Amino acid sequence: AERGIKKMLAFVARVNASRASGHLDLSALGLRECPFAPFPRKITILQLSNNKIEKIDENVTVLGLLEELLISDNRISELPFNIDRLIRLRKLVVSRNRITKLSDAFGPGMKMLVRFDINHNRLQELPASLALNTVLRELRVSGNLLKELPFEMHFMTQLSTLRLEENNWKD
């Protein structure tokens, strides 16, 4: 019980500290879920890595100023269907989770996304709609189950880093 109280106090202290900085770091608190309601709306960076989170609630979109969402090393199997409403998002890191699929609508609404890291998940394909993000510079999809890339990726003219190792490529 004492350990749980300490974690709760750490959670509250970190949320309160983020009010001034705009950076909320809730990493390594053993969180199983993440309630977005009490978060200050002015958050620009949200770190939720190294927890036990299985789902990112669709209410994450209330954080309209969010520029970085870092949620690696959790148990997430899918991203919220409305994540593209985070129109200021520049960096999305969801490595080492259990994501099997991205929505066909993933990408077009995220017009400022320059880095997308989804290494070491269980992705079998990338949606063609990802290519509609014309500012994406860094795409990391190593360690998934990809067999091929969408033809449309040749439209991603700003892409300067593409990591593809450890997939199930067709010969």
Side-chain angles (χ1 to χ4, degrees):
E2 184 178 324
R3 186 175 177 192
I5 292 170
K6 283 183 180 180
K7 283 188 178 185
M8 179 57 75
L9 291 174
F11 179 89
V12 171
R14 291 180 187 189
V15 169
N16 286 336
S18 73
R19 294 183 195 286
S21 69
H23 180 172
L24 179 54
D25 184 355
L26 298 175
S27 298
L29 288 177
L31 299 176
R32 294 188 183 279
E33 59 184 354
C34 192
F36 290 98
F39 293 172
R41 304 253 193 243
K42 294 181 180 178
I43 291 175
T44 57
I45 300 171
L46 178 57
Q47 289 183 254
L48 293 165
S49 299
N50 298 304
N51 281 294
K52 298 174 184 173
I53 299 170
E54 294 183 8
K55 182 178 180 186
I56 296 295
D57 191 285
E58 63 191 53
N59 289 326
V60 68
T61 59
V62 302
L63 304 175
L65 300 177
L66 200 61
E67 295 177 10
E68 295 184 18
L69 180 56
L70 313 169
I71 49 179
S72 294
D73 297 294
N74 279 287
R75 299 173 181 169
I76 299 164
S77 59
E78 64 184 349
L79 294 174
F81 72 93
N82 62 345
I83 197 165
D84 64 331
R85 290 188 187 160
L86 294 172
I87 59 172
R88 293 179 185 232
L89 200 63
R90 297 179 50 76
K91 182 177 179 179
L92 177 58
V93 180
V94 293
S95 297
R96 293 174 300 282
N97 277 287
R98 300 173 181 172
I99 298 170
T100 57
K101 184 175 175 95
L102 294 174
S103 162
D104 289 335
F106 185 85
M110 304 169 97
K111 296 185 187 317
M112 296 181 74
L113 189 68
V114 294
R115 179 177 176 201
F116 182 35
D117 185 337
I118 191 162
N119 285 326
H120 302 284
N121 276 278
R122 299 175 183 167
L123 278 181
Q124 294 183 19
E125 64 182 3
L126 291 174
S129 61
L130 183 62
L132 296 174
N133 181 324
T134 57
V135 298
L136 192 66
R137 283 188 237 139
E138 206 172 314
L139 177 60
R140 297 173 183 269
V141 293
S142 297
N144 279 286
L145 304 171
L146 299 174
K147 293 181 178 136
E148 60 187 6
L149 294 174
F151 170 79
E152 293 81 0
M153 282 191 66
H154 76 276
F155 293 118
M156 300 175 82
T157 58
Q158 298 299 311
L159 201 59
S160 60
T161 301
L162 178 60
R163 301 303 303 253
L164 301 167
E165 305 88 341
E166 301 174 45
N167 277 288
N168 293 339
W169 301 116
K170 285 184 182 178
D171 289 334

